[in-house]
Amino acid sequence: MTLLNVEEYRRKARRLLPRFVFDYLDGGSEDEVALKENLRAFEAIKMTPRLLNNVSARDHSVEWFGQRLPMPIVIAPTGLNGLYRRDGDILLARAASRLGIPFTLSTASNNSIEDVAKASNGDLWFQLYVMNRDFADQLVDRAFAADFSHLVLTVDVAMGGKRERDERNNFVMPFRFRPKTIADILCHPRWLWDVGRHGAPLMANLATDTVTDPNTQAALLSRKMDASFDWDDLKRLRDRWPRRLLVKGLLHPDDAERAVALGVDAVVVSNHGGRQLDIAPAPIDVLPRFSVVNAPIIVDSGIRRGSDIVKAISLGASAVMIGRAALFGLAVGGEQGVVEVIELLRREIDRTQALLGTRELVRSSSGVFLPDARGALGAD
C-alpha cells in the first residue's frame, strides 16, 4: 500500500521496529512538551494565498553560499542510525546524494567518517559533539581529510536531556536485554534479521586506533559533553576548521549574532527535536527573531509536511533540517524509503507553492503571501 505522508511512514516504522528502538527514535525529554509543541507550532501557522498569479512552472530550489540546492532540505545529524537499518548512515548519505541534497553525519554514527565518505559522492557535512578537546580535534581533522564540506557544532548538550522513554526501556549501551525486550525483538523478525543478528551497532567514529581514552565512548553514549566549552573554544574551532562552520542548537538571536561575529558561517535554530530542554520554545516560533542575524539560518524540529518547509522559508529560514522524517523512511524502506519521504515532502512543497500562488520559495512579503499567525510568532 502506498504511504501518503510522513505520519504513515512513522506508523509503519512503529510496527516494524522493536519498542525500545522506536521509542529512542520517536521520544523526547521529560513530559515531551517541547516535542509536542514543535508539531503544534507548525500547525498554528496559517498562510494566506495570493491568487491569479502564473504558477504553471514552480521552482523549489534555494541558494546556499552561491550554489543551488534543488530543494531547501538538509538531512539532519542523528545518532545510532544502524538501529533502524544496517549501515543506516551510509544509506542516508546515498539517498541524499541521489536527491542532490546534503547529508549530515553525526559524531554518534554507526558508520565511520571514512566509510561514509567512500560510500557516497554527495555533499557531506559532519556534526561535532565535544566530549573532550583532543578527541574533538581528531574528529575535525578526520572530517577535513575525508573532504566533508561543512562542520556543524552542536551546542545544546551541556548535559543529556532526561529521556524517560529510554529509561523505562533500559536503553543503554552495551544493550542489556531483559526478557520483555527479547520477546519484543522476536516479534519483529525483519528487524532481527537485518540488524539484530549482527549485534549492537558500534560507535564507528570511536572504534579507531586514534581514540585512546576509554571514557570517550561512555561520554558520547550518555551525552556527557564538555560543559566547559565556551565562546573562546568556538573561536579556536573556527580557526582550526577552514571550511564552512555552522552552530546548531541556538534559540536566541543574540547568541547567533555573537557566533557570526566569531566567523560562524550559518546557524541552525533547533531545540534538538524536543530531546533536550523540555521547556524550550519551538524553533519555528522564535525563527522570525533571527531576522537580525547576518547569516543564513537553518531551522529544524517538528517538520512533517512540505507545507511546514514553506512556512519555515517564509519566516526567514534558508533551508530546513529533516531528522525523524528521514529516519521513518529509513526504517520502512532503507535508502529507497528515505528517497520516498524526501520526494513526498518535495511534492508537498510544490503543491503548497501552487495553491499559495507563488512560483518561488521566498521570504514573506506584502507582495507574495503572509502567515496569518505572524504576530503570534513574535515577529516584529
Side-chain angles (χ1 to χ4, degrees):
M1 183 179 71
T2 301
L3 301 180
L4 299 179
N5 53 56
V6 169
E7 176 59 23
E8 291 188 359
Y9 276 89
R10 176 184 175 274
R11 292 172 186 168
K12 187 167 184 179
R14 186 173 187 174
R15 294 195 300 270
L16 293 173
L17 297 174
R19 175 66 178 270
F20 78 99
V21 175
F22 180 78
D23 279 353
Y24 175 75
L25 163 58
D26 195 57
S29 63
E30 298 184 359
D31 296 315
E32 299 190 344
V33 174
L35 178 68
K36 298 167 188 173
E37 189 58 29
N38 287 344
L39 301 175
R40 286 197 294 261
F42 273 108
E43 291 173 353
I45 301 171
K46 310 302 178 187
M47 304 188 74
T48 303
R50 302 298 301 271
L51 305 181
L52 293 177
N53 294 320
N54 181 353
V55 291
S56 57
R58 297 169 297 279
D59 182 6
H60 329 305
S61 68
V62 292
E63 183 177 355
W64 184 257
F65 289 102
Q67 299 179 332
R68 301 295 295 186
L69 296 180
M71 61 189 99
I73 296 175
V74 177
I75 295 185
T78 51
L80 300 184
N81 293 329
L83 282 177
Y84 318 123
R85 281 294 177 110
R86 191 181 181 196
D87 292 327
D89 301 294
I90 288 175
L91 299 179
L92 285 160
R94 286 177 173 168
S97 180
R98 287 170 58 183
L99 294 161
I101 62 175
F103 165 69
T104 315
L105 182 70
S106 170
T107 294
S109 62
N110 297 130
N111 295 109
S112 71
I113 293 169
E114 294 77 12
D115 287 345
V116 171
K118 290 176 185 177
S120 171
N121 59 2
D123 185 10
L124 299 175
W125 300 8
F126 181 69
Q127 175 268 337
L128 179 67
Y129 282 132
V130 179
M131 286 79 69
N132 66 63
R133 313 302 171 83
D134 290 341
F135 179 60
D137 288 347
Q138 292 176 28
L139 290 172
V140 169
D141 293 345
R142 288 169 59 190
F144 180 80
D147 204 27
F148 280 63
S149 66
H150 293 56
L151 183 67
V152 182
L153 173 69
T154 299
V155 297
D156 58 359
V157 285
M159 67 183 302
K162 187 185 180 189
R163 302 178 189 177
E164 295 180 4
R165 288 204 218 182
D166 293 344
E167 292 184 20
R168 293 189 189 98
N169 292 328
N170 195 33
F171 185 93
V172 295
M173 292 185 71
F175 294 135
R176 300 169 187 169
F177 294 131
R178 297 175 293 187
K180 182 178 179 181
T181 305
I182 294 172
D184 188 21
I185 289 173
L186 293 174
C187 291
H188 294 85
R190 195 184 88 168
W191 181 89
L192 180 59
W193 177 256
D194 181 56
V195 177
R197 68 191 177 99
H198 300 287
L202 297 174
M203 292 291 209
N205 288 323
L206 280 63
T208 68
D209 293 338
T210 60
V211 180
T212 58
D213 179 6
N215 296 318
T216 299
Q217 179 161 335
L220 180 56
L221 293 174
S222 60
R223 296 177 298 280
K224 292 180 180 176
M225 305 305 165
D226 185 347
S228 70
F229 192 93
D230 61 14
W231 293 103
D232 290 337
D233 296 303
L234 175 59
K235 180 62 170 65
R236 284 191 289 271
L237 180 63
R238 171 70 284 181
D239 293 340
R240 187 179 190 91
W241 176 259
R243 297 171 183 156
R244 291 190 187 112
L245 175 64
L246 286 72
V247 171
K248 181 178 184 291
L250 300 183
L251 290 167
H252 198 291
D254 289 354
D255 290 338
E257 288 188 289
R258 187 170 181 180
V260 171
L262 290 176
V264 168
D265 297 293
V267 168
V268 183
V269 180
S270 170
N271 68 8
H272 217 106
R275 294 164 72 85
Q276 285 294 103
L277 180 66
D278 199 31
I279 60 173
I284 194 65
D285 275 353
V286 300
L287 176 62
R289 299 176 59 197
F290 282 72
S291 62
V292 298
V293 179
N294 186 28
I297 304 296
I298 294 177
V299 68
D300 74 5
S301 303
I303 294 165
R304 296 294 184 273
R305 288 281 187 180
S307 57
D308 295 338
I309 297 171
V310 175
K311 292 172 184 179
I313 301 301
S314 76
L315 290 174
S318 298
V320 304
M321 277 188 169
I322 299 295
R324 287 185 180 92
L327 297 183
F328 298 147
L330 178 67
V332 169
E335 177 183 331
Q336 182 58 32
V338 178
V339 172
E340 290 172 3
V341 165
I342 303 298
E343 281 291 340
L344 186 156
L345 291 172
R346 184 197 61 77
R347 291 193 297 272
E348 290 182 346
I349 291 171
D350 180 66
R351 182 176 289 105
T352 301
Q353 284 182 246
L355 296 177
L356 281 172
T358 180
R359 293 191 294 179
E360 297 179 348
L361 289 171
V362 295
R363 184 164 184 169
S364 176
S365 68
S366 58
V368 189
F369 49 87
L370 294 170
D372 289 341
R374 189 171 177 82
L377 290 171
D380 292 337

